[in-house]
Amino acid sequence: MSEPPTSSTLLERADHLARTTADTASVTTYRDLPPGALMTYRPNTPAESYRHGQGVAWSLQHWQASDTLQAAGLLHSFVCRGLIASTEIAESCGQDVAELCEQYRETLLLVPEQQWHGKPLVIKRVKLYMAAYRNPALVLLGVASLWDHFESARRSHRPGLRNNFIEEARQVMLPLLEMLGMWYLKTEVEEWVTRHTMSQQDYKNIVNHLNTTEETRWQAFAHVHKTLIPLLPGAEITTKPPLLTHVCKPDHPEKVDYEALNKLTVNVCVESEADCYEALRW
């Protein structure tokens, strides 16, 4: 294995180790991990582990995670598959990165599948809940891993991959995003799940209704905005169209609440707690 430049940063060393392993590894093992713990619906190859690691590290960087956690994101999949030893990571990237990768693998090993009589995806969620209490960085690593799977499913034109991930999103990803308070990401996943599970006719009806009522919604918002601005001069007042998740829930895409399409959402952002209470009066 070639050596990275001596002046390289932590992330450069981690990427070098991951890339070199992807180029040279010939056998992929699971080190006794239970079925479903890893990317069962993506190619089981070292090259795919490298692509997955890059996606995980990118998400963690975007969420302003530490370099240590980003490095673990690049390497965790290789550790889970037994392609890189923790000692090798410690030597190249430091003990903290190695411990995060090993702890993530240990999380996936908790509670053997043969001792569980419920849904495998539920136990995966429970494991990541447990990881959050052990080390918050582990659950963030798990969510970043799921987010990369989500991006892969969203880009894919293969219905099988998309359908497999929809169930994982419902059972694992959405509850974790809610627990972490990552509401923007949760809404994005819910919208995608709902879009691909509701009937096409319902979807077309919703889109048509939103298009035909757009001008009316903006007129109603303009009236609300004109009324509130004199009362809340420092506030930022905005609106947005109804979301699919306002009309039906990802768990019940067949139950469409068309009445929800007629509701106007108004967001009021103010500078202080006192201003917030003043806004609530109106």
Side-chain angles (χ1 to χ4, degrees):
M1 184 179 296
S2 61
E3 294 295 328
T6 55
S7 61
S8 59
T9 66
L10 171 60
L11 293 177
E12 288 172 339
R13 294 195 301 274
D15 182 73
H16 180 271
L17 180 57
R19 186 174 63 253
T20 303
T21 303
D23 290 342
T24 59
S26 58
V27 178
T28 300
T29 62
Y30 281 99
R31 293 181 65 184
D32 301 321
L33 289 178
L38 298 173
M39 305 177 294
T40 56
Y41 37 78
R42 294 173 67 173
N44 181 28
T45 64
E48 186 68 13
S49 288
Y50 178 64
R51 284 190 289 270
H52 175 59
Q54 286 184 308
V56 171
W58 184 90
S59 293
L60 291 169
Q61 181 188 40
H62 186 65
W63 300 343
Q64 299 182 341
S66 67
D67 285 359
T68 297
L69 187 52
Q70 291 178 49
L74 284 165
L75 296 166
H76 75 286
S77 186
F78 293 105
V79 174
C80 290
R81 286 173 162 76
L83 298 176
I84 301 179
S86 296
T87 53
E88 190 175 356
I89 294 178
E91 182 178 348
S92 178
C93 302
Q95 189 62 36
D96 289 345
V97 176
E99 287 182 357
L100 277 174
C101 292
E102 193 59 36
Q103 286 174 4
Y104 188 75
R105 172 186 166 272
E106 290 171 359
T107 296
L108 298 181
L109 283 170
L110 292 172
V111 190
E113 297 291 329
Q114 61 268 24
Q115 297 179 18
W116 178 259
H117 302 292
K119 295 181 179 180
L121 290 176
V122 173
I123 193 172
K124 182 173 182 178
R125 182 175 73 235
V126 171
K127 289 175 180 179
L128 290 172
Y129 279 162
M130 294 168 67
Y133 289 98
R134 179 183 183 183
N135 183 347
L138 294 177
V139 73
L140 196 58
L141 177 57
V143 169
S145 178
L146 288 166
W147 189 263
D148 183 62
H149 297 338
F150 168 59
E151 292 285 10
S152 178
R154 182 159 55 175
R155 292 191 302 266
S156 176
H157 298 292
R158 294 161 45 204
L161 187 153
R162 185 174 62 230
N163 293 337
N164 283 338
F165 186 77
I166 282 173
E167 191 59 25
E168 183 155 16
R170 284 171 167 167
Q171 297 289 339
V172 184
M173 190 174 188
L174 289 173
L176 286 172
L177 289 173
E178 182 172 3
M179 181 187 76
L180 294 170
M182 303 175 81
W183 300 108
Y184 181 82
L185 299 183
K186 179 175 180 286
T187 299
E188 189 172 343
V189 178
E190 283 180 330
E191 286 283 293
W192 180 82
V193 169
T194 304
R195 167 69 179 86
H196 290 287
T197 52
M198 71 189 314
S199 75
Q200 292 303 302
Q201 188 58 53
D202 282 335
Y203 180 73
K204 290 178 180 178
N205 290 341
I206 291 170
V207 171
N208 181 63
H209 182 87
L210 291 176
N211 289 337
T212 57
T213 60
E214 182 177 10
E215 184 177 352
T216 302
R217 284 198 310 275
W218 279 109
Q219 289 174 350
F221 172 69
H223 174 73
V224 172
H225 188 274
K226 183 178 179 180
T227 303
L228 289 179
I229 279 296
L231 303 170
L232 304 167
E236 179 184 354
I237 303 172
T238 59
T239 188
K240 60 183 179 181
L243 300 172
L244 282 177
T245 49
H246 294 161
V247 183
C248 61
K249 300 301 180 184
D251 289 340
H252 301 285
E254 73 284 355
K255 298 180 180 179
V256 180
D257 179 14
Y258 286 102
E259 187 62 29
L261 291 173
N262 298 321
K263 296 178 180 178
L264 179 66
T265 300
V266 177
N267 300 315
V268 180
C269 295
V270 292
E271 291 291 336
S272 67
E273 183 178 349
D275 290 339
C276 183
Y277 281 110
E278 180 67 22
L280 288 172
R281 291 180 55 196
W282 306 102

